[in-house]
């Protein structure tokens, strides 16, 4: 029996709940260590602790630091603290940007260099490493399935410029992505000879280059804020090339911060292919097309309010109206038989965030 | 003697100007510190952990009063234009990414005066009634 929030008007307290625990140790004045464990609901409905951060930081100088271990990839402006609800105005970062990249952390090294010119602070970061991630998808028979993505030779370079109330961000990411779970499908295509090989080479995910560029800006003079991000991803795989962006603004009225966000994410690559169109290839063609079509494409308007009712606690309420285009299911992962993709979905969320 | 009087006069004048504009908290360093003026954005960068030096290159160690104390609230409102919740949000971003720790926190105005007086690199804020000859009020442009 299918369960969980999403398809109905039932409420769920599980979906966005998470508990993070962080241990920091200052081993020497220049050497420190951070371990952060976050427990939240996974794609399969289970709550499991996952290690977000586990690294050793060495300050070569006060402005140059080196980390070794598990680090968050600084792909987007709010990536590093996206799991710390208290640190952002929203209930969750806009999915139209933050879900366009399947990998969020890496096991490797990270170098951060901060410099100051007059009143401008510049922080340049480079991260190199690898990671594995399990993600859910809807397979050709409309069942929920999971696959394992492996990212190798991952490089992310990001730069942040801050001056007073203004913050500008840019990042470039590049890695080799493999999802072996889909290899059998493409092996089947190869049985059809050179034409099948061409399709397999175009769409398989077997050590293929995945690239992403993102830009962000924030202006926060105190009483109000506005921020936006833009990202574009690309690869020669069945995974769609996406362009996502959002703009979000809020006004602070005492302890209340009402905010409004518009976000949009579109697929730039083709969402269908004629496939082989050979006798006997119809099931394969259909499966490939359903994979191309099954990828998220949505726009949303969110309105919400954050209430800082105590010195380390905040309550947030958010209403999202999402439009799914081109038969997309958006980012819904709990769709049920009879659900028609496309159309619009409303979501109301409440969150309590605390730090201590 | 006249120079001493002038100095006190200057402090009074600066103190008066600050309290007119900002009420409640003045920014202070040790009398041994070479720092006498800061821009508002330099002060913000020091208190938000974006730099650990004054513009002259000397190390800067910001010190806070107790979170949500009247002096704390007044300082962040008047000089940085931010509420305690915004400051908490700012530090939660840095703490949870291992990229910084908030300034050390002291119990009251007297503790602040004593601490800053004894540390040439320290910078703090307090009610101008607690300013004595061991401290220098920093003019904020």
């Amino acid at each position: 029996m299918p369960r969980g929030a999403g398809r109905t008007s039932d409420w769920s307290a599980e979906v966005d709940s998470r508990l993070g625990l962080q241990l920091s140790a200052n081993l020497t004045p220049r050497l420190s260590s951070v371990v952060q464990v976050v427990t939240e609901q996974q794609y399969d409905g289970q709550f499991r602790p996952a290690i977000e951060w586990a690294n050793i930081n060495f300050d070569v100088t006060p402005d140059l630091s080196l980390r070794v271990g598990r680090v968050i990839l600084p792909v987007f402006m709010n990536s590093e603290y996206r799991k710390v609800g208290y640190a952002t105005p929203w209930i969750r970062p806009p999915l139209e940007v933050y879900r366009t990249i399947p990998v969020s952390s890496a096991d490797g090294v990270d170098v951060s260099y901060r410099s100051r010119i007059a009143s401008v602070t510049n922080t340049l970061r480079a991260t190199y490493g690898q990671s594995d991630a399990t993600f859910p998808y809807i397979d050709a028979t409309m069942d929920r399935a999971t696959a394992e993505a492996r990212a190798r030779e991952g490089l992310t370079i990001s730069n942040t410029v801050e001056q007073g109330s203004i913050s500008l961000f840019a990042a470039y990411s590049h890695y080799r992505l493999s999802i072996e779970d889909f290899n059998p499908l493409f092996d089947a295509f190869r049985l059809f000879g050179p034409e099948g090989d061409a399709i397999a080479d175009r769409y398989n995910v077997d050590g293929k280059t995945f690239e992403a560029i993102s830009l962000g800006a924030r202006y926060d003079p105190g009483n109000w804020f506005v921020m936006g991000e833009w990202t574009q991803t690309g690869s020669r795989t069945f995974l769609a090339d996406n362009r996502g962006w959002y703009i979000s603004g809020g006004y602070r009225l005492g302890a209340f911060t009402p905010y409004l966000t518009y976000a949009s994410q579109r697929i730039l690559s083709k969402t269908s292919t004629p496939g082989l169109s050979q006798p006997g290839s119809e099931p394969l063609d259909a499966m490939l097309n359903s994979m191309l079509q099954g990828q998220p494409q949505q726009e949303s308007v969110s309105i919400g309010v954050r209430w800082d009712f105590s010195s380390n606690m905040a309550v947030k309420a958010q209403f999202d109206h999402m439009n799914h285009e081109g038969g997309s299911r958006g980012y819904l992962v709990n769709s049920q038989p009879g659900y028609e993709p496309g159309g619009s979905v409303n979501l109301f969320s409440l969150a309590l965030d605390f730090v201590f | 003697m006249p120079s001493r009087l002038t100095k006190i006069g200057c402090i009074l004048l600066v103190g008066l100007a600050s309290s007119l504009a900002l009420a409640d908290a003045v920014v202070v360093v040790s009398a041994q510190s070479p720092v006498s003026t800061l821009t508002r954005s330099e002060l913000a960068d020091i208190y938000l952990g974006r730099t650990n030096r004054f513009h002259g290159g000397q190390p800067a160690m910001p010190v806070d009063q107790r979170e949500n104390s009247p002096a704390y609230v007044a300082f962040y409102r008047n000089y940085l234009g931010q509420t305690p919740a915004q400051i908490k949000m700012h530090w939660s971003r840095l703490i949870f990414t291992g990229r910084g720790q908030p300034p050390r926190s002291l119990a009251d105005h007297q503790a602040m005066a004593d601490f800053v007086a004894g540390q040439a690199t320290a910078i703090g804020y307090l009610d101008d009634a607690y300013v004595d000859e061991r401290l220098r009020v920093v003019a904020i442009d």
Side-chain angles (χ1 to χ4, degrees):
Chain A
M1 185 64 197
R3 293 176 56 241
R7 79 203 147 96
T8 65
S9 49
D10 289 351
W11 289 85
S12 169
E14 294 176 344
V15 181
D16 281 309
S17 296
R18 66 172 73 97
L19 183 66
L21 190 65
Q22 175 153 330
L23 293 172
S24 304
N26 293 318
L27 308 170
T28 74
R30 292 165 70 187
L31 196 63
S32 60
S33 175
V34 174
V35 176
Q36 189 186 108
V37 179
V38 173
T39 301
E40 62 187 332
Q41 196 177 32
Q42 306 290 332
Y43 59 85
D44 56 2
Q46 300 294 310
F47 279 84
R48 264 197 307 275
I51 295 171
E52 279 280 297
W53 293 92
N55 57 62
I56 289 180
N57 181 84
F58 178 66
D59 291 328
V60 183
T61 72
D63 292 321
L64 177 64
S65 69
L66 186 67
R67 296 175 153 193
V68 178
R70 177 163 298 178
V71 293
I72 299 286
L73 294 172
V75 178
F76 304 118
M77 194 161 59
N78 301 299
S79 283
E80 289 198 298
Y81 44 85
R82 76 202 190 294
K83 296 273 170 92
V84 183
Y86 189 87
T88 64
W90 321 294
I91 290 212
R92 64 190 84 80
L95 302 178
E96 288 82 351
V97 167
Y98 282 76
R99 282 281 178 85
T100 52
I101 293 194
V103 179
S104 63
S105 68
D107 295 329
V109 292
D110 171 298
V111 182
S112 172
Y113 180 67
R114 185 172 67 177
S115 54
R116 262 178 91 75
I117 305 156
S119 61
V120 178
T121 303
N122 190 81
T123 309
L124 179 66
R125 283 186 64 190
T127 304
Y128 185 84
Q130 61 179 50
S131 72
D132 296 334
T134 305
F135 67 91
Y137 68 101
I138 309 288
D139 72 12
T141 55
M142 299 306 284
D143 280 333
R144 291 157 77 181
T146 62
E148 186 83 18
R150 288 191 299 127
R152 294 292 177 267
E153 300 168 35
L155 175 69
T156 298
I157 296 172
S158 76
N159 194 63
T160 306
V161 178
E162 292 166 288
Q163 189 195 23
S165 311
I166 300 170
S167 182
L168 302 173
F169 174 89
Y172 170 75
S173 301
H174 176 119
Y175 47 85
R176 294 199 170 281
L177 189 67
S178 298
I179 307 176
E180 285 176 0
D181 304 65
F182 295 108
N183 285 355
L185 171 68
F186 296 109
D187 290 343
F189 270 106
R190 289 187 195 281
L191 297 175
F192 286 82
E195 265 190 77
D197 282 337
I199 288 177
D201 292 342
R202 166 64 184 86
Y203 291 109
N204 76 357
V205 192
D206 197 10
K208 289 273 185 74
T209 298
F210 186 98
E211 288 180 296
I213 303 173
S214 50
L215 302 171
R218 169 165 39 218
Y219 181 68
D220 187 344
N223 285 338
W224 57 282
F225 68 87
V226 60
M227 67 175 129
E229 288 188 84
W230 175 96
T231 188
Q232 189 164 323
T233 66
S235 66
R236 277 186 62 79
T237 66
F238 72 84
L239 298 170
D241 295 347
N242 288 299
R243 181 180 293 158
W245 64 277
Y246 73 86
I247 184 156
S248 184
Y251 192 82
R252 298 191 179 93
L253 296 158
F256 292 92
T257 309
Y259 59 88
L260 182 67
T261 306
Y262 174 79
S264 165
Q265 178 254 317
R266 293 189 163 278
I267 295 176
L268 302 176
S269 47
K270 283 187 179 154
T271 55
S272 68
T273 169
L276 281 169
S277 305
Q278 287 180 16
S281 76
E282 294 87 353
L284 287 178
D285 294 342
M287 206 175 285
L288 180 58
N289 273 298
S290 94
M291 281 158 59
L292 293 174
Q293 279 158 14
Q295 302 196 42
Q297 176 155 260
Q298 74 172 27
E299 62 171 350
S300 68
V301 177
S302 307
I303 185 162
V305 63
R306 172 183 169 130
W307 176 29
D308 286 278
F309 67 100
S310 138
S311 70
N312 48 9
M313 287 195 255
V315 168
K316 297 168 186 171
Q318 183 171 319
F319 177 80
D320 302 281
H321 178 77
M322 296 171 274
N323 270 321
H324 298 145
E325 290 159 46
S328 161
R329 210 171 273 107
Y331 296 98
L332 303 174
V333 294
N334 191 16
S335 48
Q336 303 297 331
Y339 170 74
E340 285 291 327
S344 68
V345 174
N346 294 321
L347 173 68
F348 184 74
S349 317
L350 266 176
L352 170 68
D353 291 310
F354 52 91
V355 288
F356 58 88
Chain B
M1 212 49 185
S3 75
R4 176 75 191 268
L5 280 175
T6 320
K7 192 172 158 191
I8 294 172
C10 282
I11 291 171
L12 281 176
L13 202 66
V14 172
L16 190 68
S18 311
S19 63
L20 276 179
L22 310 157
D24 293 332
V26 292
V27 177
V28 291
V29 291
S30 158
Q32 276 119 51
S33 166
V35 176
S36 56
T37 62
L38 280 178
T39 65
R40 203 166 274 261
S41 72
E42 281 169 336
L43 183 69
D45 288 346
I46 289 168
Y47 266 90
L48 297 176
R50 288 181 187 156
T51 180
N52 43 25
R53 290 190 203 97
F54 293 109
H55 55 269
Q58 309 90 344
M61 176 178 41
V63 196
D64 262 331
Q65 294 220 25
R66 210 166 20 79
E67 202 179 319
N68 294 313
S69 63
Y72 179 97
V73 175
F75 171 75
Y76 282 103
R77 185 190 56 221
N78 296 342
Y79 292 96
L80 276 73
Q82 305 217 19
T83 62
Q86 281 172 272
I87 296 300
K88 188 118 191 162
M89 191 163 142
H90 171 79
W91 284 109
S92 68
R93 289 174 183 165
L94 298 186
I95 295 166
F96 287 104
T97 52
R99 298 213 174 268
Q101 290 292 325
R104 177 174 171 172
S105 179
L106 297 170
D108 54 27
H109 295 289
Q110 193 58 57
M112 178 66 88
D114 294 342
F115 184 88
V116 174
Q119 290 277 351
T121 60
I123 177 166
Y125 52 85
L126 40 66
D127 190 300
D128 55 10
Y130 289 82
V131 175
D132 57 33
E133 72 288 348
R134 301 173 301 161
L135 301 173
R136 178 185 305 121
V137 173
V138 180
I140 306 297
D141 302 336

